[in-house]
């Protein structure tokens, strides 16, 4: 339980760079800019944010069944926060037949059934490739908080457009298995100017049965054209915040 309510120090920018403002007005003013990927040629500086790969190697998990990717990702993040007695099968059973929009309450009730007095907030962010969500990813990773990317991967079926945004918006989690979930653990950011940054590459943990091995632990680097393609088919970001209520006098 040592990682519950994990509040590590924020990563520092390079000494020659001024911090980008994270105020809401700043985010709103830049929300129209596409900043997850960029073709800008002039990069002022770059730095890496997120969780060290050796740390995430400890918590990486492979999905136990073909459609259990989300459960595997939630398990990874719960284990990262020290909740090691929650299993994928328990997560799947807890979600089954329940309203996916109540995911926070579902997982919180599961944890509390194990005698853990926790406040769990799982926020679902309908993704748009804008400064607002680039900033969200950046702030989560700067605070060493892994997050879940829910997207349409390329299954190699040329007759199916998994990247169609209208199709993605109509997705029903309870009836479709086309989407795939991965954990985002680290990123490299390029700063272009004082108020503009973009992602050079992302480091994810893919729990897919056909990718994950004992050697790679599901670790995958996404960059270049692959990153652009992934950004075009992300449906949701899921952020998870866990607070141990016993620390605040709640038993």
């Amino acid at each position: 339980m040592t990682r519950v309510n994990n509040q590590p120090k924020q990563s520092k920018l390079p000494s020659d760079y001024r911090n980008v403002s994270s105020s809401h007005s700043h985010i709103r003013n830049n929300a129209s800019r596409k900043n997850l990927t960029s073709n800008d040629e002039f990069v002022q500086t770059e730095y890496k944010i997120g969780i060290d790969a050796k740390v995430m190697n400890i918590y990486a998990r492979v999905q136990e069944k073909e459609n259990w990717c989300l459960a595997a990702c939630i398990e990874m993040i719960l284990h990262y926060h020290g909740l090691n007695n929650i299993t994928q099968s328990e997560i799947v059973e807890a979600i089954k037949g329940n309203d996916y929009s109540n995911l926070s309450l579902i997982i919180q009730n599961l944890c509390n059934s194990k005698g853990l007095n926790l406040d769990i907030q799982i926020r679902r962010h309908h993704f748009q490739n804008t400064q607002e969500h680039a900033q969200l990813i950046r702030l989560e990773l700067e605070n060493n908080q892994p997050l879940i990317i829910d997207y349409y991967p390329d299954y190699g079926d040329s007759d199916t457009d998994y990247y169609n945004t209208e199709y993605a918006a109509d997705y029903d989690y309870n009836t479709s298995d086309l989407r795939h979930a991965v954990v985002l653990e680290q990123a490299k950011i390029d700063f272009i100017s004082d108020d503009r940054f973009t992602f050079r590459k992302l480091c994810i943990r893919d729990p897919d049965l056909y990718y994950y091995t004992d050697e790679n632990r599901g670790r995958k680097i996404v960059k270049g054209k692959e990153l652009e393609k992934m950004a075009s088919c992300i449906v949701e970001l899921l952020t998870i915040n866990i607070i141990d209520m016993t620390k605040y006098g709640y038993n």
Side-chain angles (χ1 to χ4, degrees), residues 9-241:
K9 294 181 179 179
Q10 183 169 319
S11 303
K12 294 181 178 180
L13 287 166
S15 58
D16 61 344
Y17 192 75
R18 291 173 291 169
N19 194 2
V20 176
S21 169
S22 61
S23 68
H24 294 297
S25 60
H26 170 80
I27 293 175
R28 284 196 300 269
N29 291 338
N30 291 280
S32 63
R33 295 175 177 168
K34 292 189 175 183
N35 276 22
L36 191 60
T37 59
S38 173
N39 294 320
D40 291 277
E41 297 180 0
F42 302 101
V43 176
Q44 190 176 70
T45 190
E46 65 181 35
Y47 81 121
K48 186 166 63 176
I49 54 175
I51 304 151
D52 187 89
K54 292 180 181 178
V55 173
M56 282 306 295
N57 281 342
I58 300 170
Y59 307 106
R61 295 291 184 274
V62 62
Q63 62 193 69
E64 296 172 12
K65 294 187 178 180
E66 285 194 4
N67 60 341
W68 284 18
C69 55
L70 178 63
C73 290
I74 293 174
E75 181 187 37
M76 278 189 240
I77 294 180
L78 292 180
H79 285 204
Y80 172 77
H81 286 283
L83 307 177
N84 301 317
N85 59 341
I86 307 295
T87 67
Q88 284 180 47
S89 59
E90 289 172 328
I91 294 169
V92 170
E93 191 62 31
I95 294 175
K96 188 184 300 182
N98 287 306
D99 185 353
Y100 179 60
S101 64
N102 293 326
L103 190 57
S104 287
L105 185 59
I106 292 169
I107 301 303
Q108 179 171 301
N109 288 341
L110 172 60
C111 292
N112 290 348
S113 72
K114 301 269 190 174
L116 306 170
N117 191 5
L118 304 173
D119 178 24
I120 298 180
Q121 296 294 325
I122 302 178
R123 294 182 173 86
R124 299 168 59 198
H125 309 268
H126 185 72
F127 182 77
Q128 295 179 340
N129 193 2
T130 62
Q131 171 75 18
E132 181 177 6
H133 281 142
Q135 189 73 279
L136 169 67
I137 293 171
R138 177 191 162 199
L139 294 177
E140 288 292 308
L141 292 180
E142 281 183 334
N143 285 290
N144 290 339
Q145 298 288 350
L147 58 154
I148 297 173
I149 295 178
D150 189 6
Y151 73 111
Y152 283 97
D154 183 2
Y155 287 99
D157 184 351
S158 59
D159 296 327
T160 305
D161 181 10
Y162 294 107
Y163 301 95
N164 183 286
T165 54
E166 292 182 4
Y167 180 59
D170 293 335
Y171 172 84
D172 180 354
Y173 182 84
N174 293 312
T175 61
S176 177
D177 60 357
L178 295 178
R179 270 157 66 173
H180 186 54
V182 297
V183 171
L184 175 58
E185 66 180 48
Q186 198 176 87
K188 180 170 283 188
I189 288 181
D190 286 342
F191 284 100
I192 299 157
S193 65
D194 283 356
D195 65 345
R196 294 189 64 203
F197 66 93
T198 188
F199 290 92
R200 176 183 291 263
K201 63 182 180 181
L202 303 180
C203 178
I204 62 174
R205 293 287 169 162
D206 190 338
D208 186 84
L209 281 165
Y210 303 104
Y211 177 77
Y212 190 104
T213 67
D214 290 338
E215 289 72 30
N216 67 29
R217 304 290 290 170
R219 192 169 190 266
K220 183 186 293 184
I221 303 297
V222 184
K223 60 182 179 179
K225 293 295 184 182
E226 187 180 3
L227 177 55
E228 291 179 14
K229 191 173 186 180
M230 185 179 193
S232 72
C233 63
I234 295 175
V235 182
E236 286 187 330
L237 302 173
L238 285 79
T239 57
I240 300 180
N241 184 260

